[in-house]
Amino acid sequence: MNTDGHRPRRGFGFSLQLSAFSILLGGCSLPQPQPDPTRFYVLSAPALSAAEPTAKGSSVYLRPIELANYLKAKPMIVRRGNNEIEFREYARWGEPLELGLGRVLREDLLARGAARTVLAAGLRPLNVDCDFELGVRVLACEGTADGGVNFRAVWELWAAGATPKMAAHGEFRSEGLKWDGRSEAALAEQLSKAVSDLSGEIAAGLANAGK
């Protein structure tokens, strides 16, 4: 009680403090979690009518696919010129690209009847000899900013044996494939077609090597 006989008026000051505390709490509220915008894509082997094996029913060992170093990143790539590339951070491959390429090549070669068996790394039993060994190095695997598809690869087919010799080889470049420049799903589909076209070129090499 004050000397004048009145109680101190504390209610108004307390209300101001409470209001300031409430504002402080409101300003420090945690942001609401946002959904992850990342999407994942895989290559797929286009549906082909099953064919009878050619090349005298050859067996092929598919060596691990080699990639140009810049292709080993997880994001999908869009090229913006000879010396500029864009990594689409929210559009990623759902598996290592070299494994996806090898999987599609194997499935496509079998569907074409290019060989009796196609054994990939990890699928080849010990002490099993194949008629041919196939090596593939992918030099480009991306879309372009103007809606094109840039896929390039070199391949070599070796006749197995005590002294392996080159049976066929080629340098493949995709042609006539387009995407809309926005949908990474469309880009994955077009790159899948490019791999299938590469498979067709290799199948022709196998057919000639098996004659």
Side-chain angles (χ1 to χ4, degrees):
M1 180 177 293
N2 294 336
T3 55
D4 57 2
H6 297 283
R7 294 181 179 275
R9 300 175 65 183
R10 301 172 56 187
F12 181 69
F14 180 75
S15 298
L16 286 177
Q17 292 177 1
L18 182 61
S19 298
F21 184 67
S22 299
I23 293 173
L24 181 63
L25 284 179
C28 295
S29 61
L30 296 177
Q32 294 297 316
Q34 299 297 318
D36 185 355
T38 307
R39 296 292 180 267
F40 296 89
Y41 302 90
V42 294
L43 297 169
S44 59
L48 295 173
S49 299
E52 292 296 325
T54 58
K56 298 181 180 179
S58 301
S59 58
V60 177
Y61 171 62
L62 176 60
R63 297 172 182 170
I65 303 295
E66 298 180 49
L67 295 180
N69 283 334
Y70 79 97
L71 294 175
K72 295 178 181 179
K74 273 285 190 179
M76 298 178 74
I77 295 173
V78 174
R79 182 170 290 274
R80 296 191 173 277
N82 291 334
N83 304 107
E84 182 182 356
I85 57 175
E86 173 194 352
F87 291 101
R88 294 282 177 99
E89 292 294 340
Y90 295 115
R92 295 178 168 252
W93 292 113
E95 62 185 330
L97 184 56
E98 62 271 26
L99 297 184
L101 291 164
R103 172 178 55 78
V104 173
L105 267 179
R106 178 177 177 272
E107 293 176 5
D108 200 279
L109 287 170
L110 288 172
R112 291 176 183 274
R116 182 180 71 256
T117 57
V118 179
L119 301 176
L123 298 177
R124 183 178 184 178
L126 295 176
N127 302 320
V128 172
D129 295 326
C130 292
D131 301 307
F132 296 97
E133 289 198 8
L134 173 62
V136 177
R137 176 170 173 78
V138 176
L139 306 175
C141 183
E142 65 245 3
T144 62
D146 60 359
V149 174
N150 185 26
F151 183 88
R152 294 189 296 121
V154 293
W155 60 274
E156 295 178 344
L157 189 66
W158 293 82
T163 55
K165 64 178 182 178
M166 181 86 68
H169 64 92
E171 183 171 348
F172 174 83
R173 185 187 296 267
S174 61
E175 295 181 356
L177 298 177
K178 299 289 184 181
W179 69 303
D180 61 11
R182 299 183 303 275
S183 169
E184 289 85 7
L187 177 56
E189 180 181 6
Q190 295 303 305
L191 288 172
S192 297
K193 291 180 180 178
V195 180
S196 180
D197 291 342
L198 168 63
S199 172
E201 183 174 292
I202 294 173
L206 268 169
N208 291 328
K211 291 180 180 179

